Amino acid sequence: MWQSYSNGLLIAAGLIIALGAQNAFVLAQSLRREHHLPVAMLCVICDALLVTAGVFGLAAVLAQNPILLGVARWGGAAFLLWYGAQASLRACRPQALAQTTDNNPRSRKAVLLAALAVTLLNPHVYLDTVLLIGSLGAQQPVPGAYALGAASASLMWFLSLALGAAWLAPWLARPNTWRFIDLGVALMMFSIAWQLLSSPNML
């Protein structure tokens, strides 16, 4: 169970903690203290629902088709290796997480709708959560623990942005911070890919 949980935690962390529109939006709302906690929780809930749908929906399909299971296994490992390589390249030329500024306050409804748009209208979110994280989770010994680990990574990251934005902003604005983050992400992705290919429990 703990192996499945840690796999979900590490894989989701590697995908969530990256430069992107969703992280920039949450950070900006947090720095302005404009409905930042509801925005963070909305992102966590969306991630948890998408991951759960991917894990358990794909688990049922893969359990009935060994060929698809093999495709998911090798395809997932290939994607993890590619993602790790991309993170390694980003570490060689790191960027900073930029934040937008907007002096016009918005209602909670407007902010949450904007957060939903940033989260759900991005096609990469479905590739990451439903297809990649879901297909890998469907192969775990305990898929439920894996989904919980992925949700935990999302919860820790977005709450960190929401509650610690003022402290995190100077660090996230430094390219060297993202160099270390991307190196850590690359190591996590390579490690999980190796485990996926070498562990008989993943077959």
Side-chain angles (χ1 to χ4, degrees):
M1 182 182 74
W2 289 111
Q3 178 183 348
S4 297
Y5 178 86
S6 61
N7 284 346
L9 183 71
L10 293 177
I11 291 173
L15 293 172
I16 292 170
I17 304 173
L19 289 170
Q22 188 184 47
N23 284 335
F25 183 85
V26 174
L27 180 63
Q29 294 304 121
S30 302
L31 290 173
R32 290 197 296 265
R33 289 292 185 261
E34 185 182 58
H35 312 298
H36 53 295
L37 288 177
V39 165
M41 292 310 301
L42 179 65
C43 292
V44 171
I45 291 170
C46 287
D47 281 355
L49 291 176
L50 290 171
V51 167
T52 300
V55 168
F56 291 102
L58 289 175
V61 175
L62 295 178
Q64 300 173 8
N65 194 319
I67 295 177
L68 287 180
L69 181 60
V71 171
R73 177 190 179 193
W74 289 96
F79 185 91
L80 291 173
L81 291 172
W82 175 83
Y83 196 92
Q86 292 295 109
S88 299
L89 291 176
R90 287 198 305 268
C92 295
R93 46 178 186 276
Q95 300 177 356
L97 181 60
Q99 65 206 52
T100 59
T101 56
D102 183 3
N103 295 324
N104 298 320
R106 293 177 292 177
S107 67
R108 176 179 296 182
K109 180 180 179 180
V111 169
L112 292 180
L113 287 175
L116 275 176
V118 168
T119 300
L120 299 180
L121 296 182
N122 179 4
H124 291 290
V125 72
Y126 301 101
L127 174 64
D128 291 346
T129 57
V130 178
L131 295 181
L132 176 60
I133 298 179
S135 64
L136 293 174
Q139 304 169 64
Q140 298 295 315
V142 186
Y146 175 93
L148 182 60
S152 298
S154 179
L155 178 66
M156 288 186 287
W157 173 247
F158 286 117
L159 282 185
S160 295
L161 282 183
L163 298 176
W167 181 80
L168 288 172
W171 294 90
L172 296 178
R174 299 176 183 176
N176 280 338
T177 298
W178 287 97
R179 185 192 303 275
F180 288 113
I181 288 175
D182 281 324
L183 285 175
V185 167
L187 289 175
M188 283 190 290
M189 296 298 104
F190 291 147
S191 174
I192 299 296
W194 172 257
Q195 182 184 95
L196 185 65
L197 292 175
S198 63
S199 174
N201 292 331
M202 299 298 181
L203 292 172

